[in-house]
Amino acid sequence: MILNKLSEIMGRKRIKMSELARMTGLARSTIFEFYYDKTKVLKLDTLNKICWALECKVEDILEYIPDEK
């Protein structure tokens, strides 16, 4: 399972979705879908822009948790 921690990071930094969209140049709907973990496909360019804007690493946003067998 991949754990999405974007909302947690944005909450700690007190950044709103509209502000992140402005900082990254991404559509607010793209931020919204990622924030609420509704994204099926995540482009590397999108992830790159978000990491740049939030000054964080990919592993700060996404965490791999092995599925139980």
Side-chain angles (χ1 to χ4, degrees):
M1 167 173 59
I2 303 294
L3 180 63
N4 177 351
K5 300 186 286 186
L6 179 62
S7 63
E8 179 183 321
I9 293 169
M10 288 175 63
R12 275 197 315 254
K13 294 184 179 244
R14 299 187 186 271
I15 294 177
K16 296 181 181 182
M17 281 187 255
S18 56
E19 184 179 353
L20 185 58
R22 181 188 54 74
M23 292 167 68
T24 60
L26 297 169
R28 190 178 183 282
S29 60
T30 301
I31 303 294
F32 179 90
E33 288 177 3
F34 191 22
Y35 184 93
Y36 286 109
D37 206 18
K38 296 184 181 288
T39 303
K40 298 280 189 233
V41 176
L42 182 59
K43 294 181 179 179
L44 293 178
D45 184 55
T46 299
L47 192 53
N48 182 58
K49 289 177 181 181
I50 291 172
C51 287
W52 174 84
L54 296 177
E55 298 177 342
C56 66
K57 298 176 183 176
V58 172
E59 55 268 25
D60 295 332
I61 298 175
L62 300 174
E63 179 181 348
Y64 172 70
I65 300 172
D67 293 329
E68 292 183 24
K69 294 184 181 185

